[in-house]
């Protein structure tokens, strides 16, 4: 049996490990307190020390730092790009130059590193204003606002280094795109790619997409209203030229390329690339491909991409976030409704609980992060999956728990 190591500690890695464990022996490093179910093992040892046939790297930071290169140098198959490929996410300024070279449609932009240049650019723009830190900022480096004052204040704060340190000393100021967003995940083997079911993320904290941007409060897949023609156009105008440009630059990209797309009235535009699975998109996608995930990711890691199987129905994920999230999440609140293995105290068909920010305290689970749990419902169709996800989520509670009730509402 394939021995697979998953690197990471969030609900995304929990979901990947859960699905991989269907056909592989799985160890998660460092994992978290809620990952003990489903036959998963947790270890403090590094991926190198653990030894594996396949290593799947979950988060962007170790990819940007070159963990995939280090592991590949020891001869192990790795799902996740090297540091060269990870620059697509690690630097927004690099990304924008790359997209221009590849001819991928994306927002017009300027790179600025002084307050004067930022002000001049913003004053010449029309709303919505978009101000991004160049470097990684844990998903919180982007402001989209209709207020010029807010945009100016944000640019000053970021450039000062106070808000995001070095990551904010250079900014990308972009044309604001308007339309529906969707998440396209392409599995890549260095030469070829194949897309998974299209997913939708709910980024804002509040219902009706109000409130601050978060890491993501819920997701569903597949997105039925994105027809095959539009997906085909995205593959042709966005993904194919990206893989070609990567190859031109000598980058052997093996991993998932997650294209955040905006469907504008002028056609699909790329908002950004991530070099790993979305979180919470992974919590819907991994269960849908549970049957074949180990083979699929293994084949990509070995440069011989196999076919993407059909998704097993539909999935909906509801995130339960801590009081005070995203600014200052409250830790240590006791979570009700979970059994000793971290799953629902009373199991429900088609419901699985992925842990993001939990810890064990005197035998109970307590909150220990911003996003605490991701409750996924699966079923033959979205309506069933949604009903299951919300029924599961309704059985879990903790003081100050924040959740959106409109994930996948009206979706079909
Ligand atoms: P990111 O942190 O890069 O994922 O961006 C966070 C969110 O900001 C995206 O999911 C979009 O909702 C929004 N966003 C980023 N760039 C733009 C843009 N050029 N126009 C409109 N919205 C954007
Ligand atoms: N769900 C958004 C992200 O993972 O970046």
């Amino acid at each position: 049996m394939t021995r697979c190591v998953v690197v990471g500690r969030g609900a995304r890695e929990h979901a990947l490990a859960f699905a991989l464990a269907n056909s592989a022996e799985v160890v998660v490093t460092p994992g978290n307190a809620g990952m003990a179910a489903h036959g998963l093992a947790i270890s403090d040892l590094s991926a190198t020390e653990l030894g594996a046939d396949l290593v799947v790297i979950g988060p962007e930071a170790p990819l940007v730092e070159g963990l995939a290169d280090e592991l590949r140098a020891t001869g192990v198959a790795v799902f996740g790009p090297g540091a060269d490929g990870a620059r697509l996410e690690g630097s927004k300024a690099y990304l924008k130059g790359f997209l221009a070279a590849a001819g991928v449609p994306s927002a017009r932009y300027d790179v600025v590193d002084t307050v004067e240049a930022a002000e001049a650019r913003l004053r010449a723009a029309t709303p919505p204003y978009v101000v991004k830190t160049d470097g990684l900022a844990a998903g919180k480096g982007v402001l989209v606002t209709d207020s010029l004052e807010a945009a100016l204040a944000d640019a000053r704060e970021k450039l000062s280094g106070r808000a995001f340190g070095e990551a904010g000393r250079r900014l990308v100021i972009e044309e604001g795109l308007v339309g529906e967003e969707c998440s396209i995940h392409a599995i890549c083997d260095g030469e070829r790619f194949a897309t998974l079911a299209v997913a939708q993320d709910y980024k804002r904290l509040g219902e009706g997409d109000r409130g601050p941007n978060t890491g993501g409060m819920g997701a569903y897949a597949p997105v039925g209203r994105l027809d095959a023609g539009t997906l085909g156009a995205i593959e042709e105008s966005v993904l194919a030229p990206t893989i070609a440009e990567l190859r031109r630059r000598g980058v052997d990209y093996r991993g998932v390329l997650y294209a955040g797309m905006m469907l504008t009235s002028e056609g699909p535009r790329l908002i950004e690339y991530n070099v790993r699975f979305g979180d919470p998109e992974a919590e819907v996608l991994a269960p849908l491909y549970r049957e074949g995930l180990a083979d699929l990711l293994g084949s990509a890691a070995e440069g011989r991409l196999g076919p993407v199987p059909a998704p097993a129905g539909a999935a909906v994920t509801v995130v339960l976030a801590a009081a005070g999230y995203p600014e200052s999440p409250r830790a240590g609140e006791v979570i009700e409704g979970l059994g000793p293995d971290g799953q629902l105290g009373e199991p429900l068909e088609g419901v699985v609980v992925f842990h993001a920010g939990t810890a064990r305290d005197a035998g109970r689970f307590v909150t220990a992060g911003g996003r605490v749990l991701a409750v996924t419902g699966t079923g033959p169709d979205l309506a069933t999956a949604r009903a299951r996800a919300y029924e599961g989520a309704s059985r879990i509670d903790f003081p100050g728990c924040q959740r959106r009730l409109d994930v996948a509402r009206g979706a079909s």
Side-chain angles (χ1 to χ4, degrees):
M1 198 181 209
T2 306
R3 181 174 155 86
C4 178
V5 168
V6 175
V7 177
R9 63 181 335 142
R12 166 182 49 212
E13 289 76 29
H14 192 176
L16 292 170
F18 158 81
L20 290 165
N22 190 58
S23 51
E25 177 198 339
V26 180
V27 185
V28 191
T29 170
N32 71 38
M35 288 186 185
H38 326 296
L40 304 177
I42 311 299
S43 176
D44 289 335
L45 295 177
S46 70
T48 321
E49 290 163 323
L50 282 166
D53 306 310
L54 171 67
V55 178
V56 175
I57 302 175
E60 61 276 17
L63 292 166
V64 169
E65 287 158 15
L67 179 61
D69 304 296
E70 262 172 56
L71 287 163
R72 279 195 185 105
T74 70
V76 60
V78 181
F79 186 80
D84 52 2
R87 285 185 81 191
L88 289 178
E89 180 168 0
S91 165
K92 297 219 192 275
Y94 174 81
L95 170 71
K96 297 303 285 194
F98 180 101
L99 296 178
V104 171
S106 161
R108 284 182 289 274
Y109 73 102
D110 284 304
V111 179
V112 299
D113 54 14
T114 65
V115 171
E116 295 70 36
E119 289 203 5
R121 174 65 178 75
L122 284 168
R123 287 192 193 282
T126 51
Y129 305 96
V130 181
V131 181
K132 303 187 171 184
T133 59
D134 174 45
L136 290 181
K140 300 184 185 80
V142 176
L143 177 76
V144 182
T145 177
D146 285 333
S147 155
L148 177 61
E149 286 314 309
L152 290 170
D154 185 67
R156 278 186 218 111
E157 185 68 13
K158 282 174 176 159
L159 284 167
S160 74
R162 281 190 296 270
F164 295 98
E166 287 308 309
R169 293 220 186 253
R170 187 151 66 144
L171 301 180
V172 172
I173 296 188
E174 268 183 23
E175 165 198 17
L177 300 171
V178 179
E180 285 247 25
E181 279 184 56
C182 63
S183 305
I184 311 278
H185 288 73
I187 307 294
C188 308
D189 73 350
E191 259 178 69
R192 291 158 294 233
F193 69 89
T195 50
L196 303 182
V198 178
Q200 168 102 51
D201 175 23
Y202 289 70
K203 284 198 159 79
R204 301 277 184 153
L205 182 67
E207 274 157 38
D209 289 329
R210 279 185 278 270
N213 251 322
T214 69
M217 294 296 290
Y220 75 90
V223 175
R225 60 176 193 292
L226 197 108
D227 56 79
T230 308
L231 180 59
I234 293 171
E235 292 183 344
E236 208 170 294
S237 69
V238 176
L239 293 169
T242 298
I243 301 295
E245 180 66 20
L246 283 166
R247 286 175 60 77
R248 235 187 328 273
R249 294 180 184 216
V251 179
D252 183 10
Y253 192 104
R254 301 183 187 197
V256 60
L257 187 61
Y258 152 17
M261 299 298 308
M262 185 80 88
L263 307 176
T264 76
S265 55
E266 281 145 38
R269 296 281 181 274
L270 182 83
I271 301 172
E272 59 165 6
Y273 273 131
N274 295 304
V275 299
R276 36 79 192 171
F277 281 98
D279 187 353
E281 287 93 329
E283 292 95 295
V284 288
L285 292 174
L288 289 181
Y289 293 96
R290 195 176 175 194
E291 243 359 92
L293 195 69
D295 283 346
L296 181 64
L297 303 194
S299 73
E302 288 169 8
R304 46 165 193 87
L305 184 64
V308 171
V316 174
T317 292
V318 182
V319 169
L320 306 183
Y325 179 71
E327 286 86 21
S328 47
R330 203 158 74 212
E333 299 290 0
V334 174
I335 304 169
E336 306 288 349
L338 298 178
D341 65 350
Q343 294 300 299
L344 287 178
E346 287 169 46
L348 267 181
E349 188 191 348
V351 177
V352 49
V353 180
F354 299 121
H355 286 239
T358 64
R360 291 282 251 179
D361 182 25
R364 294 171 312 185
F365 285 99
V366 297
T367 65
R371 290 185 292 177
V372 176
L373 296 164
V375 183
T376 295
T378 55
D381 51 54
L382 274 173
T384 310
R386 181 171 197 274
R388 288 176 172 171
Y390 274 106
E391 174 60 26
S394 76
R395 299 187 182 191
I396 304 174
D397 202 13
F398 50 85
C401 174
Q402 305 189 79
R403 65 185 83 188
R404 279 182 68 159
L405 297 179
D406 62 348
V407 176
R409 182 181 282 161
S412 56

